[in-house]
Amino acid sequence: MKYNDYPFDEHECSVKLSSADLKADKLRFDMVRPARWGRLKNTLGQFDASIVNLTDSEYTDVWENESWSISGFKVRLRRRYWKYVFSYYLTSGLFVVTSWVSFLVPVDDVNARMALLVTILLVLVTVYNSVIEMAPKAQEGPTALAVWMFCML
């Protein structure tokens, strides 16, 4: 699974069934197309799940120059991301906008400016650290949420 787009990630897992000893000339799997798969709204934890048919090219496989019949489906998992938008994206963006208020504080009042900016910086660093701790690790590079939080710093 690739998590570079976390929390806007989508994953697809193929479930394929085939015979262990009967090739396609002896055994042919046929799946009624288009298959209807139960309820429209299936959820697994923080994912919306849907079942998708295999493409036509996936119903046969060639192994050691012999054709094998395959039947199966794909499970598509799409993460529900709105809680991340409200918890991280929106709140960190509001903290950055709040930091712009320091430009409205009079130049002579350095203590007020510093107190405001240091507090916001500490909050954003704490949130960034929690994102790094709780987010799944991407194989190549950071996740989208980690990049966003780093840019907010």
Side-chain angles (χ1 to χ4, degrees):
M1 296 175 96
K2 295 184 180 177
Y3 293 105
N4 292 47
D5 295 334
Y6 174 84
F8 306 106
D9 52 339
E10 191 173 307
H11 306 282
E12 196 169 87
C13 177
S14 296
V15 178
K16 296 180 179 179
L17 307 169
S18 181
S19 174
D21 59 348
L22 296 175
K23 295 181 266 255
D25 58 345
K26 304 260 188 221
L27 176 67
R28 181 84 187 149
F29 288 112
D30 270 334
M31 219 159 148
V32 178
R33 294 180 202 120
R36 296 205 34 131
W37 300 99
R39 300 181 298 168
L40 294 176
K41 286 284 192 177
N42 295 312
T43 58
L44 295 169
Q46 51 187 307
F47 291 96
D48 289 330
S50 60
I51 297 178
V52 181
N53 292 327
L54 295 174
T55 61
D56 289 336
S57 64
E58 292 177 304
Y59 283 106
T60 57
D61 190 19
V62 177
W63 187 66
E64 293 185 354
N65 296 326
E66 295 178 353
S67 181
W68 298 83
S69 180
I70 294 177
S71 183
F73 54 91
K74 293 179 186 176
V75 178
R76 182 175 294 148
L77 300 173
R78 183 175 294 142
R79 189 180 305 271
R80 285 178 279 166
Y81 55 82
W82 283 108
K83 81 173 189 178
Y84 300 98
V85 169
F86 290 119
S87 297
Y88 296 105
Y89 288 91
L90 185 64
T91 54
S92 63
L94 288 174
F95 275 121
V96 169
V97 170
T98 304
S99 73
W100 298 342
V101 171
S102 70
F103 294 116
L104 301 176
V105 175
V107 178
D108 300 337
D109 197 1
V110 176
N111 290 338
R113 282 182 145 194
M114 289 306 292
L116 179 65
L117 292 176
V118 167
T119 303
I120 290 175
L121 178 67
L122 290 174
V123 168
L124 287 174
V125 166
T126 303
V127 173
Y128 176 73
N129 285 336
S130 72
V131 164
I132 296 300
E133 288 289 321
M134 72 94 186
K137 306 299 181 240
Q139 290 177 350
E140 298 173 1
T143 63
L145 183 56
V147 169
W148 171 265
M149 289 306 300
F150 184 77
C151 290
M152 291 296 105
L153 290 175

